[in-house]
Amino acid sequence: DTAVSQTPKYLVTQMGNDKSIKCEQNLGHDTMYWYKQDSKKFLKIMFSYNNKELIINETVPNRFSPKSPDKAHLNLHINSLELGDSAVYFCASSKFLRYSPLHFGNGTRLTVT
Amino acid sequence: AQTVTQSQPEMSVQEAETVTLSCTYDTSESDYYLFWYKQPPSRQMILVIRQEAYKQQNATENRFSVNFQKAAKSFSLKISDSQLGDAAMYFCAYLEGISGGYQKVTFGTGTKLQVIP
């Protein structure tokens, strides 16, 4: 009965490759997010989607392309991976209510070599 | 842009003692929410406690309580009777409503809490 699930948990790949991270939530939430946590543990929002519509895009390189096939899924595709993309990527979701807290997945640790 | 500052990169506390983690934020809004999240070594982000800006009463969840000072834009977390399982990174977070009824959450840089047996 996992609430927000991400796959894979770990991802190791070489520079220049293209990879995807999948996220699914079974909480019935309308809003989903991608956050990036760098090596210093700083969490920064990348994207926010509400019912498949892009709401927030925080100055993320266009190599990153989120896709939301339905409101329960938000996938992250990354093209031409760079060393600086190494980080932990968290998916999260929330209700479409003001001041609804985020529910996080367990993160995907991406390592680019 | 809103900013959230956690001035203590690391803290330590003896088991069963009390520790307070600091957080300040910058905003011109009057209506917002504040949260503390815990991230243990397992990497999972766990909601610890929340506080609505309009509520003067400080939130409490079992051993966790906050000291919310709206005028000072301060939101500290107090952990009483510290347990080994409390060892984690703690993130302060500010949630604001943005246009269209959506919301955005900004996190502080985190405080790593060590619990000494």
Side-chain angles (χ1 to χ4, degrees):
Chain A
D1 58 345
T2 305
V4 182
S5 59
Q6 295 178 229
T7 54
K9 194 171 180 179
Y10 298 95
L11 186 52
V12 181
T13 188
Q14 291 183 328
M15 284 176 57
N17 285 348
D18 303 339
K19 290 293 178 184
S20 293
I21 306 172
K22 294 185 177 181
C23 179
E24 175 182 5
Q25 54 93 7
N26 63 3
L27 295 167
H29 290 167
D30 295 289
T31 308
M32 296 185 73
Y33 312 78
W34 279 109
Y35 276 82
K36 178 180 180 181
Q37 186 174 43
D38 62 23
S39 58
K40 295 182 179 179
K41 302 293 187 182
F42 184 61
L43 271 161
K44 184 172 170 54
I45 189 167
M46 300 174 68
F47 301 102
S48 168
Y49 267 74
N50 182 266
N51 203 13
K52 303 191 295 178
E53 180 185 354
L54 179 65
I55 302 302
I56 296 173
N57 182 340
E58 286 281 315
T59 320
V60 178
N62 58 15
R63 297 183 295 103
F64 291 79
S65 53
K67 286 185 172 54
S68 182
D70 55 62
K71 72 175 190 177
H73 295 83
L74 180 62
N75 303 323
L76 183 65
H77 189 76
I78 315 170
N79 290 324
S80 304
L81 278 155
E82 300 177 357
L83 292 176
D85 297 332
S86 295
V88 179
Y89 292 85
F90 282 96
C91 177
S93 70
S94 69
K95 295 179 184 179
F96 184 54
L97 287 173
R98 291 195 80 184
Y99 312 125
S100 174
L102 303 182
H103 295 258
F104 284 86
N106 288 337
T108 296
R109 179 177 293 281
L110 171 64
T111 303
V112 183
T113 61
Chain B
Q2 318 302 7
T3 57
V4 179
T5 302
Q6 293 179 248
S7 58
Q8 306 150 317
E10 295 189 23
M11 293 278 286
S12 61
V13 61
Q14 290 285 142
E15 196 175 1
E17 296 294 311
T18 296
V19 64
T20 299
L21 309 183
S22 301
C23 173
T24 58
Y25 56 94
D26 179 28
T27 185
S28 57
E29 303 294 325
S30 59
D31 191 13
Y32 51 87
Y33 255 80
L34 296 161
F35 301 91
W36 279 97
Y37 279 86
K38 168 185 176 181
Q39 187 179 38
S42 65
R43 206 168 71 199
Q44 186 180 6
M45 291 288 288
I46 302 166
L47 177 64
V48 175
I49 199 165
R50 71 185 81 176
Q51 174 79 42
E52 183 177 2
Y54 269 113
K55 288 189 176 178
Q56 294 185 343
Q57 186 174 6
N58 290 323
T60 299
E61 289 285 344
N62 300 315
R63 296 182 297 106
F64 298 87
S65 61
V66 299
N67 183 1
F68 173 50
Q69 302 288 328
K70 190 172 183 179
K73 297 178 185 175
S74 171
F75 182 60
S76 60
L77 174 70
K78 185 171 85 171
I79 307 174
S80 304
D81 186 24
S82 297
Q83 301 175 359
L84 295 177
D86 295 333
M89 283 288 288
Y90 285 82
F91 292 95
C92 179
Y94 170 93
L95 189 156
E96 62 178 309
I98 58 177
S99 62
Y102 307 113
Q103 61 187 25
K104 179 180 174 183
V105 179
T106 302
F107 286 86
T109 49
T111 296
K112 184 175 182 180
L113 178 67
Q114 180 186 19
V115 180
I116 303 167

